[in-house]
PDB file of all heavy atoms in Angstrom:
ATOM      1  N   TYR C  71       4.031 -44.462 -17.983  1.00 92.00           N
ATOM      2  CA  TYR C  71       2.918 -45.349 -18.369  1.00 92.00           C
ATOM      3  C   TYR C  71       2.916 -45.785 -19.750  1.00 92.00           C
ATOM      4  O   TYR C  71       2.535 -46.884 -20.083  1.00 92.00           O
ATOM      5  CB  TYR C  71       1.615 -44.633 -17.970  1.00 92.00           C
ATOM      6  CG  TYR C  71       1.347 -44.456 -16.493  1.00 92.00           C
ATOM      7  CD1 TYR C  71       0.981 -43.253 -16.017  1.00 92.00           C
ATOM      8  CD2 TYR C  71       1.640 -45.443 -15.556  1.00 92.00           C
ATOM      9  CE1 TYR C  71       0.744 -43.039 -14.678  1.00 92.00           C
ATOM     10  CE2 TYR C  71       1.466 -45.260 -14.236  1.00 92.00           C
ATOM     11  CZ  TYR C  71       0.997 -44.070 -13.767  1.00 92.00           C
ATOM     12  OH  TYR C  71       0.826 -43.950 -12.422  1.00 92.00           O
ATOM     13  N   GLU C  72       3.382 -44.894 -20.644  1.00 91.00           N
ATOM     14  CA  GLU C  72       3.537 -45.248 -22.066  1.00 91.00           C
ATOM     15  C   GLU C  72       4.552 -46.382 -22.264  1.00 91.00           C
ATOM     16  O   GLU C  72       4.243 -47.222 -23.121  1.00 91.00           O
ATOM     17  CB  GLU C  72       3.832 -44.001 -22.888  1.00 91.00           C
ATOM     18  CG  GLU C  72       2.634 -43.034 -23.042  1.00 91.00           C
ATOM     19  CD  GLU C  72       3.045 -41.783 -23.720  1.00 91.00           C
ATOM     20  OE1 GLU C  72       4.285 -41.416 -23.907  1.00 91.00           O
ATOM     21  OE2 GLU C  72       2.124 -40.967 -24.108  1.00 91.00           O
ATOM     22  N   LYS C  73       5.540 -46.332 -21.502  1.00 92.00           N
ATOM     23  CA  LYS C  73       6.562 -47.430 -21.615  1.00 92.00           C
ATOM     24  C   LYS C  73       5.967 -48.725 -21.018  1.00 92.00           C
ATOM     25  O   LYS C  73       6.208 -49.799 -21.590  1.00 92.00           O
ATOM     26  CB  LYS C  73       7.837 -47.094 -20.768  1.00 92.00           C
ATOM     27  CG  LYS C  73       8.913 -46.528 -21.642  1.00 92.00           C
ATOM     28  CD  LYS C  73      10.190 -46.419 -20.760  1.00 92.00           C
ATOM     29  CE  LYS C  73      11.252 -45.848 -21.651  1.00 92.00           C
ATOM     30  NZ  LYS C  73      12.540 -45.684 -20.920  1.00 92.00           N
ATOM     31  N   GLN C  74       5.268 -48.630 -19.961  1.00 90.00           N
ATOM     32  CA  GLN C  74       4.637 -49.789 -19.348  1.00 90.00           C
ATOM     33  C   GLN C  74       3.622 -50.435 -20.314  1.00 90.00           C
ATOM     34  O   GLN C  74       3.365 -51.584 -20.280  1.00 90.00           O
ATOM     35  CB  GLN C  74       3.932 -49.481 -17.997  1.00 90.00           C
ATOM     36  CG  GLN C  74       4.890 -49.266 -16.861  1.00 90.00           C
ATOM     37  CD  GLN C  74       4.137 -48.951 -15.572  1.00 90.00           C
ATOM     38  OE1 GLN C  74       2.932 -48.757 -15.565  1.00 90.00           O
ATOM     39  NE2 GLN C  74       4.893 -48.829 -14.477  1.00 90.00           N
ATOM     40  N   GLN C  75       2.950 -49.545 -21.083  1.00 88.00           N
ATOM     41  CA  GLN C  75       1.927 -50.046 -21.950  1.00 88.00           C
ATOM     42  C   GLN C  75       2.472 -50.958 -23.076  1.00 88.00           C
ATOM     43  O   GLN C  75       1.766 -51.820 -23.505  1.00 88.00           O
ATOM     44  CB  GLN C  75       1.318 -48.752 -22.674  1.00 88.00           C
ATOM     45  CG  GLN C  75      -0.080 -48.974 -23.244  1.00 88.00           C
ATOM     46  CD  GLN C  75      -0.671 -47.652 -23.711  1.00 88.00           C
ATOM     47  OE1 GLN C  75       0.085 -46.794 -24.218  1.00 88.00           O
ATOM     48  NE2 GLN C  75      -1.968 -47.580 -23.691  1.00 88.00           N
ATOM     49  N   GLU C  76       3.772 -50.795 -23.335  1.00 87.00           N
ATOM     50  CA  GLU C  76       4.433 -51.692 -24.310  1.00 87.00           C
ATOM     51  C   GLU C  76       4.551 -53.164 -23.718  1.00 87.00           C
ATOM     52  O   GLU C  76       4.711 -54.045 -24.555  1.00 87.00           O
ATOM     53  CB  GLU C  76       5.774 -51.122 -24.677  1.00 87.00           C
ATOM     54  CG  GLU C  76       5.713 -49.764 -25.435  1.00 87.00           C
ATOM     55  CD  GLU C  76       7.082 -49.118 -25.634  1.00 87.00           C
ATOM     56  OE1 GLU C  76       8.132 -49.732 -25.276  1.00 87.00           O
ATOM     57  OE2 GLU C  76       7.176 -48.039 -26.046  1.00 87.00           O
ATOM     58  N   ASN C  77       4.644 -53.252 -22.435  1.00 87.00           N
ATOM     59  CA  ASN C  77       4.933 -54.570 -21.826  1.00 87.00           C
ATOM     60  C   ASN C  77       3.699 -55.144 -21.149  1.00 87.00           C
ATOM     61  O   ASN C  77       3.853 -55.920 -20.213  1.00 87.00           O
ATOM     62  CB  ASN C  77       6.055 -54.452 -20.849  1.00 87.00           C
ATOM     63  CG  ASN C  77       7.345 -53.954 -21.534  1.00 87.00           C
ATOM     64  OD1 ASN C  77       7.622 -54.305 -22.627  1.00 87.00           O
ATOM     65  ND2 ASN C  77       8.087 -53.179 -20.763  1.00 87.00           N
ATOM     66  N   VAL C  78       2.518 -54.799 -21.554  1.00 86.00           N
ATOM     67  CA  VAL C  78       1.295 -55.314 -20.914  1.00 86.00           C
ATOM     68  C   VAL C  78       1.100 -56.715 -21.221  1.00 86.00           C
ATOM     69  O   VAL C  78       1.481 -57.264 -22.317  1.00 86.00           O
ATOM     70  CB  VAL C  78       0.052 -54.518 -21.290  1.00 86.00           C
ATOM     71  CG1 VAL C  78       0.113 -53.125 -20.630  1.00 86.00           C
ATOM     72  CG2 VAL C  78      -0.205 -54.520 -22.775  1.00 86.00           C
ATOM     73  N   LYS C  79       0.491 -57.507 -20.282  1.00 87.00           N
ATOM     74  CA  LYS C  79       0.333 -58.946 -20.499  1.00 87.00           C
ATOM     75  C   LYS C  79      -1.148 -59.357 -20.710  1.00 87.00           C
ATOM     76  O   LYS C  79      -1.427 -60.311 -21.255  1.00 87.00           O
ATOM     77  CB  LYS C  79       0.844 -59.643 -19.208  1.00 87.00           C
ATOM     78  CG  LYS C  79       2.341 -59.447 -19.068  1.00 87.00           C
ATOM     79  CD  LYS C  79       2.898 -60.335 -18.102  1.00 87.00           C
ATOM     80  CE  LYS C  79       4.381 -60.300 -17.884  1.00 87.00           C
ATOM     81  NZ  LYS C  79       5.240 -59.257 -18.041  1.00 87.00           N
ATOM     82  N   ASN C  80      -2.040 -58.415 -20.306  1.00 89.00           N
ATOM     83  CA  ASN C  80      -3.462 -58.724 -20.481  1.00 89.00           C
ATOM     84  C   ASN C  80      -4.270 -57.396 -20.749  1.00 89.00           C
ATOM     85  O   ASN C  80      -3.724 -56.299 -20.498  1.00 89.00           O
ATOM     86  CB  ASN C  80      -4.073 -59.543 -19.385  1.00 89.00           C
ATOM     87  CG  ASN C  80      -3.912 -58.847 -17.994  1.00 89.00           C
ATOM     88  OD1 ASN C  80      -4.198 -57.639 -17.888  1.00 89.00           O
ATOM     89  ND2 ASN C  80      -3.526 -59.578 -16.998  1.00 89.00           N
ATOM     90  N   SER C  81      -5.475 -57.513 -21.104  1.00 90.00           N
ATOM     91  CA  SER C  81      -6.275 -56.362 -21.447  1.00 90.00           C
ATOM     92  C   SER C  81      -6.641 -55.545 -20.196  1.00 90.00           C
ATOM     93  O   SER C  81      -6.820 -54.361 -20.243  1.00 90.00           O
ATOM     94  CB  SER C  81      -7.565 -56.761 -22.185  1.00 90.00           C
ATOM     95  OG  SER C  81      -8.372 -57.594 -21.333  1.00 90.00           O
ATOM     96  N   ARG C  82      -6.806 -56.239 -19.085  1.00 92.00           N
ATOM     97  CA  ARG C  82      -7.080 -55.537 -17.841  1.00 92.00           C
ATOM     98  C   ARG C  82      -5.978 -54.571 -17.463  1.00 92.00           C
ATOM     99  O   ARG C  82      -6.205 -53.404 -17.058  1.00 92.00           O
ATOM    100  CB  ARG C  82      -7.309 -56.536 -16.736  1.00 92.00           C
ATOM    101  CG  ARG C  82      -7.896 -55.995 -15.488  1.00 92.00           C
ATOM    102  CD  ARG C  82      -8.285 -57.145 -14.583  1.00 92.00           C
ATOM    103  NE  ARG C  82      -8.667 -56.587 -13.320  1.00 92.00           N
ATOM    104  CZ  ARG C  82      -8.860 -57.307 -12.241  1.00 92.00           C
ATOM    105  NH1 ARG C  82      -8.671 -58.599 -12.228  1.00 92.00           N
ATOM    106  NH2 ARG C  82      -9.264 -56.726 -11.112  1.00 92.00           N
ATOM    107  N   GLU C  83      -4.737 -55.029 -17.579  1.00 91.00           N
ATOM    108  CA  GLU C  83      -3.543 -54.198 -17.259  1.00 91.00           C
ATOM    109  C   GLU C  83      -3.491 -53.071 -18.301  1.00 91.00           C
ATOM    110  O   GLU C  83      -3.120 -51.941 -17.915  1.00 91.00           O
ATOM    111  CB  GLU C  83      -2.263 -55.098 -17.368  1.00 91.00           C
ATOM    112  CG  GLU C  83      -1.082 -54.557 -16.705  1.00 91.00           C
ATOM    113  CD  GLU C  83       0.136 -55.406 -16.846  1.00 91.00           C
ATOM    114  OE1 GLU C  83      -0.010 -56.709 -16.810  1.00 91.00           O
ATOM    115  OE2 GLU C  83       1.249 -54.886 -16.890  1.00 91.00           O
ATOM    116  N   PHE C  84      -3.798 -53.399 -19.505  1.00 91.00           N
ATOM    117  CA  PHE C  84      -3.768 -52.352 -20.601  1.00 91.00           C
ATOM    118  C   PHE C  84      -4.793 -51.202 -20.251  1.00 91.00           C
ATOM    119  O   PHE C  84      -4.531 -50.038 -20.433  1.00 91.00           O
ATOM    120  CB  PHE C  84      -4.078 -53.009 -21.950  1.00 91.00           C
ATOM    121  CG  PHE C  84      -4.047 -52.035 -23.072  1.00 91.00           C
ATOM    122  CD1 PHE C  84      -2.868 -51.574 -23.599  1.00 91.00           C
ATOM    123  CD2 PHE C  84      -5.257 -51.461 -23.591  1.00 91.00           C
ATOM    124  CE1 PHE C  84      -2.876 -50.737 -24.642  1.00 91.00           C
ATOM    125  CE2 PHE C  84      -5.226 -50.565 -24.629  1.00 91.00           C
ATOM    126  CZ  PHE C  84      -4.020 -50.157 -25.170  1.00 91.00           C
TER     127      PHE C  84
END
Side-chain angles (χ1 to χ4, degrees):
Y71 292 134
E72 286 171 348
K73 264 189 178 180
Q74 284 180 355
Q75 204 174 27
E76 295 171 5
N77 300 325
V78 292
K79 298 194 177 25
N80 58 43
S81 64
R82 189 172 177 191
E83 194 178 331
F84 182 80

